[in-house]
Amino acid sequence: MRPGGAHPLRKESTAQPHSKPGLDARRAAVRLLAAVIDARTPLDALTDNEHGHPQFLALSARDKALVRAILVSALRHRCTIESLIRETLERPLPEKARALSHILHVGAAQILFLDVPDSAAVDLAVAQAKTDPRTARFSGLVNAVLRNLARGGGEALPRALARTRDAPAWFMEHLESAYGRETADAILAAHRREPPTDFTVKSDPDGWAVRLGGRVLPNGSVRVDRLPAPVAELPGYAEGEWWVQDAAASLPARLLGDVRRRAVADLCAAPGGKTAQLAQAGAMVTAVDLSASRLQRLEVNLNRLGLTAQTVEADLLAWRPDQRFDAVLLDAPCSSTGTVRRHPDVPWTKRPEDIQRLAELQSRLLERALMLLRPGGVLVFANCSLDPAEGEELVGRLLAERREVVLYPVRASELPDAEHFITSEGYLRTTPAVPETAGQLGDVDGFFAARLRVQE
């Protein structure tokens, strides 16, 4: 079949179809997919329930959930979907046929990966194609391609998954350069799977594992493979008994040691998971963030949890506090490539130059954070990037240039549940390539952390 005309056995009408139930949700999905792929707009910004895209905000709660599920599947398996679409065409779609490509990807994601009736996915995609002047003449093609996927996807999908790697070329190259082919493939395989949800609980992890329908991890987090309800509707949420935090994200704060009654600065603190950890551990926390809205969300979270911290809206590079701190935690803004399991738009919205730009910012933030330490204090630098440019390489340059700054290596005895994530240099480096096993923390986001001291 050719991308230049209608299906040969089907005469297409140019009349605009009436609006159908579910059509607005598919239109929104296509519009948002275009914003991610063509404009590199983060998916979280588009689907934010307060400030998201107008087409998304106009939907019912049920349709919002459907749109997000469609987009997560379409992005998580983008290369696989593209491969299967190409198999049904005599020649590739024109490069300028972006709107058509997005309609096909949204339809294919529903057919191949979601519990949506094939007929509904096909009919709504065709209806959408007919209502868009850019794609109206291709509605027959949309019908034929998606019906072919519906008929043969059960057999073709496993083969396509086996031969494709669902990531842009630059991202695969960075992973292979950092970790080698085998580990890179394991990371990419993890990115295809729906991740579990981890909870940091204030007390009684065994009890909360029962109540939430999960299990206790070696680090004390509670893990639930599939949530039975939205987070805010789960037992213990309103009472402030726990907060959602990937088990890997809970490790950097532990590297500060005993923080009871110590003055601790949590820099770039929002949304506040680590702030809550430190406050729960008895620290006198000052939480600093540049964003007023994100800081407000942090305060809401702390109020729900019944925890307290001083909050400061400030640019860290310009902030001049009245005191220095016993300990500093800098969870720096980064490329977020360690969270692709949860945010599959990341590889498609970031570029290699973004990695370099963010690494330069992190270096400046780290230099400033070191100035906030009291003599003998400890700083933990962390981020959720998988790229060594934002981790090992950045810290290595700092240590080479600043002789008074020394690495305070992480010891296996400090993280017995995660000692396999400690590198030979004494850094903490987690990746989703490591599976969860009995007694071993695994199936976590990618994280990097280094602990530093300034010699007197």
Side-chain angles (χ1 to χ4, degrees):
M1 100 191 43
R2 300 185 301 274
H7 189 273
L9 301 180
R10 183 183 179 92
K11 184 176 181 180
E12 294 300 323
S13 168
T14 58
Q16 301 294 314
H18 296 294
S19 182
K20 295 183 176 183
L23 185 56
D24 286 343
R26 274 64 175 192
R27 284 173 174 154
V30 169
R31 177 65 67 87
L32 269 58
L33 183 60
V36 171
I37 298 300
D38 300 335
R40 300 182 183 274
T41 307
L43 183 58
D44 279 353
L46 295 167
T47 58
D48 183 89
N49 281 321
E50 293 182 9
H51 308 291
H53 192 281
Q55 273 187 261
F56 180 80
L57 295 178
L59 300 174
S60 67
R62 182 177 179 180
D63 278 349
K64 285 179 181 177
L66 173 61
V67 167
R68 185 160 181 85
I70 291 171
L71 292 171
V72 166
S73 295
L75 293 164
R76 183 173 283 155
H77 304 285
R78 180 165 179 78
C79 295
T80 296
I81 291 172
E82 182 66 23
S83 173
L84 289 169
I85 289 173
R86 285 177 178 269
E87 282 186 355
T88 68
L89 298 170
E90 292 180 5
R91 61 174 183 267
L93 299 176
E95 180 60 31
K96 293 182 179 180
R98 305 295 292 172
L100 175 60
S101 173
H102 297 322
I103 289 174
L104 288 172
H105 275 252
V106 165
Q110 297 169 74
I111 291 168
L112 297 170
F113 299 105
L114 296 180
D115 188 19
V116 174
D118 292 346
S119 58
V122 174
D123 291 346
L124 289 168
V126 171
Q128 182 173 2
K130 289 180 178 179
T131 62
D132 189 333
R134 298 170 298 175
T135 58
R137 67 191 182 99
F138 296 114
S139 61
L141 176 75
V142 171
N143 180 71
V145 168
L146 294 182
R147 288 193 183 281
N148 278 342
L149 289 181
R151 283 194 297 267
E155 296 181 359
L157 179 58
R159 295 196 299 270
L161 288 169
R163 69 172 180 265
T164 58
R165 304 170 87 196
D166 278 304
W170 77 265
F171 187 64
M172 292 188 290
E173 291 167 3
H174 277 228
L175 287 180
E176 285 193 26
S177 175
Y179 300 101
R181 177 67 183 247
E182 183 178 352
T183 299
D185 281 344
I187 292 172
L188 291 172
H191 288 172
R192 282 174 163 171
R193 299 190 293 269
E194 186 72 26
T197 301
D198 296 344
F199 299 84
T200 298
V201 297
K202 292 165 72 173
S203 63
D204 189 21
D206 290 322
W208 282 110
V210 173
R211 295 181 188 94
L212 295 170
R215 60 191 175 280
V216 180
L217 299 180
N219 70 321
S221 296
V222 172
R223 172 165 291 175
V224 177
D225 290 323
R226 187 174 295 275
L227 295 181
V231 168
E233 298 176 13
L234 294 174
Y237 176 85
E239 296 79 12
E241 295 292 340
W242 47 257
W243 61 95
V244 174
Q245 184 181 39
D246 187 82
S250 74
L251 299 178
R254 291 171 57 184
L255 302 183
L256 293 176
D258 185 357
V259 294
R260 285 175 295 178
R261 296 180 296 279
R262 299 180 71 197
V264 180
D266 184 11
L267 309 178
C268 308
K274 298 175 186 65
T275 305
Q277 270 186 279
L278 295 168
Q280 175 71 11
M284 298 178 291
V285 188
T286 300
V288 183
D289 203 272
L290 177 64
S291 168
S293 60
R294 284 170 57 83
L295 204 58
Q296 184 178 26
R297 186 179 304 176
L298 179 150
E299 292 169 345
V300 169
N301 288 336
L302 288 180
N303 287 336
R304 177 181 67 83
L305 295 168
L307 300 172
T308 60
Q310 179 185 0
T311 57
V312 178
E313 179 189 343
D315 179 352
L316 173 57
L317 295 174
W319 185 48
R320 299 293 183 269
D322 295 332
Q323 64 169 356
R324 292 190 178 187
F325 296 89
D326 299 314
V328 172
L329 175 59
L330 171 60
D331 187 356
C334 69
S335 61
S336 302
T337 50
T339 67
V340 174
R341 302 185 308 162
R342 305 177 194 283
H343 305 285
D345 57 305
V346 166
W348 304 102
T349 57
K350 296 291 192 302
R351 289 174 283 194
E353 51 265 38
D354 295 321
I355 303 287
Q356 186 58 42
R357 175 181 57 81
L358 287 161
E360 291 170 359
L361 172 61
Q362 291 163 24
S363 181
R364 294 166 59 204
L365 292 172
L366 179 53
E367 291 275 6
R368 177 62 197 145
L370 286 166
M371 298 173 64
L372 302 178
L373 274 180
R374 287 177 179 159
V378 176
L379 181 146
V380 169
F381 168 76
N383 61 49
C384 57
S385 171
L386 286 169
D387 203 301
E390 299 176 85
E392 293 88 343
E393 294 173 10
L394 183 154
V395 173
R397 281 196 304 274
L398 173 73
L399 295 173
E401 295 168 1
R402 296 274 304 272
R403 297 295 182 178
E404 78 279 15
V405 180
V406 295
L407 182 68
Y408 180 15
V410 182
R411 302 182 302 275
S413 59
E414 297 178 83
L415 300 175
D417 43 80
E419 59 182 315
H420 50 290
F421 289 129
I422 301 172
T423 71
S424 58
E425 300 90 349
Y427 298 133
L428 176 71
R429 165 59 77 189
T430 70
T431 80
V434 178
E436 176 191 348
T437 61
Q440 174 179 285
L441 194 63
D443 197 12
V444 296
D445 287 345
F447 241 91
F448 171 82
R451 186 170 54 190
L452 305 171
R453 276 182 168 158
V454 180
Q455 296 187 114
E456 300 179 35

